[in-house]
Amino acid sequence: MTGASRKGAALPRHPRGWKGSVGQWLADAVFYLERRGVPEATANAEFIMAAVLETRRNEVKLGSAHPLREKQGFHFWELVVARGERVPLAYVLGTQNFMGLEIAVTPDVLVPRPETEELVAQAQLRLRASGVPSPAVLEIGTGSGCIAIALAKTFPAAVVYATESSPAALALAQKNAEAHGVSRRIRFIDEDVFKPAVSSAGWADLLISNPPYIPSAEVASLEPEVLREPALALDGGPDGLCAVRAIAAQAPARLKRGGCLLLEIGCTQGAAVRDILSRSGGQEVEIRKDLQGLDRIAAARFG
Ligand SMILES: C[S@@+](CC[C@H](N)C(=O)[O-])C[C@H]1O[C@@H](n2cnc3c(N)ncnc32)[C@H](O)[C@@H]1O
């Protein structure tokens, strides 16, 4: 029975022992998730089923007539219920694909976003264009480690430093770096962006960050899933730009002459960030838009 054909029916609970095919479990999950306002309920149910069956999403559709084993059904339904409570899909699955890499995620870290893939793509372009054989990269606010790891994988001779003030995030970033074989080339540092250490002065070819940039007053109105992510990763202070100001102020001292600063920014922050970067001594300041035409990346050269 599909969700559409049973309007008003009680939500399926599925105690241990409920038997059904993959397709029946999926139909129930879609009905359940839709009733809880989960966007893209069908895709979510299929991704969860694929994780439970340890297969790909398209294989799930092909095998919809197959029965689900009791243990699998129980596990599937546990995950569906969590998603119904608006836990982000990446937390439910424990992983998020970023630049083709599977990055482990927990509620201690921001879920890596497609917008941030554009930031990394810009970094790749600029580092390649610089021609520096072993570029030195400093990432501020590494979270899951996704940016630092993606850059370390692309540039095998790069030396990467990645800072973070959340110990739990640092521990997960370290694990992710180990899983991707780059832990020896990334140094994770417990550092508060507002109290920078001087050890990395004048060292970096690239300073890159996706800082928290949401104005404090807007945080409460974010989607339920986003509110499950760490406040530290979202809240950028009264105007959203506290961390941006701190990073811009450090850029001249932390970058080599001619080094590049790349920041992910909020979609309405382009003009304000341009001003902050120029006042901090940034040259060739550029505000780049994302695929939706919104301000998304700020770039500047220093020294
Ligand atoms: C928007 S998240 C970005 C995480 C990851 N780099 C990514 O792009 O998915 C910002 C990160 O900055 C960290 N952060 C927030 N305040 C900080 C501070 N004062 N010092 C250092 N890191 C901070 C957060 O814990 C979070 O991991």
Side-chain angles (χ1 to χ4, degrees):
M1 192 171 14
T2 65
S5 65
R6 56 181 178 195
K7 258 191 190 149
L11 288 174
R13 287 194 164 269
H14 293 319
R16 222 180 249 281
W18 191 82
K19 293 214 173 18
S21 67
V22 166
Q24 286 169 319
W25 279 101
L26 280 173
D28 279 352
V30 171
F31 180 75
Y32 187 86
L33 294 175
E34 279 175 348
R35 291 284 294 263
R36 281 169 167 72
V38 173
E40 298 178 25
T42 302
N44 275 258
E46 289 172 356
F47 277 120
I48 294 172
M49 183 63 84
V52 168
L53 297 179
E54 297 179 13
T55 185
R56 291 171 187 272
R57 188 178 160 203
N58 58 343
E59 300 288 334
V60 164
K61 287 188 207 166
L62 293 174
S64 67
H66 292 169
L68 211 57
R69 286 206 299 272
E70 181 181 342
K71 211 171 157 191
Q72 290 172 321
F74 186 67
H75 185 203
F76 175 70
W77 203 251
E78 267 185 333
L79 300 185
V80 168
V81 168
R83 186 66 189 96
E85 286 164 4
R86 306 302 294 267
V87 174
L89 181 64
Y91 291 163
V92 170
L93 302 179
T95 183
Q96 174 68 35
N97 190 283
F98 182 81
M99 309 283 306
L101 304 167
E102 282 305 322
I103 301 290
V105 291
T106 69
D108 290 323
V109 299
L110 190 88
V111 176
R113 305 287 206 272
E115 299 89 283
T116 310
E117 294 185 321
E118 291 186 40
L119 181 75
V120 172
Q122 268 302 309
Q124 290 170 334
L125 275 177
R126 284 164 192 257
L127 284 177
R128 281 198 188 107
S130 76
V132 178
S134 335
V137 175
L138 172 61
E139 189 207 351
I140 292 180
T142 197
S144 62
C146 59
I147 295 176
I149 293 167
L151 290 175
K153 293 286 283 183
T154 325
F155 298 97
V159 179
V160 183
Y161 278 43
T163 71
E164 172 60 56
S165 63
S166 153
L170 269 179
L172 185 61
Q174 178 73 42
K175 270 196 195 163
N176 274 320
E178 281 160 19
H180 288 288
V182 289
S183 60
R184 285 167 174 264
R185 288 195 297 110
I186 305 178
R187 185 159 160 216
F188 291 104
I189 303 166
D190 179 0
E191 184 186 271
D192 185 334
V193 71
F194 300 110
K195 296 175 202 153
V198 286
S199 56
S200 59
W203 171 85
D205 295 289
L206 173 72
L207 173 47
I208 185 166
S209 183
N210 170 19
Y213 55 69
I214 297 171
S216 305
E218 291 176 22
V219 171
S221 57
L222 295 170
E223 288 294 308
E225 282 82 354
V226 183
L227 291 175
R228 299 268 187 169
E229 297 185 89
L232 191 64
L234 304 171
D235 190 338
D239 64 353
L241 295 170
C242 290
V244 170
R245 276 191 205 89
I247 294 167
Q250 295 162 29
R254 299 194 108 167
L255 284 165
K256 278 185 195 148
R257 279 182 73 82
C260 176
L261 171 63
L262 272 178
L263 296 172
E264 183 174 318
I265 60 171
C267 61
T268 59
Q269 294 174 336
V273 174
R274 179 185 288 282
D275 188 51
I276 292 170
L277 296 187
S278 300
R279 283 170 191 267
S280 308
Q283 293 153 20
E284 301 168 36
V285 178
E286 206 184 317
I287 303 298
R288 300 183 65 87
K289 296 195 184 287
D290 61 19
L291 296 173
Q292 277 118 48
L294 304 168
D295 295 344
R296 190 54 66 197
I297 294 171
R301 214 158 270 294
F302 282 81

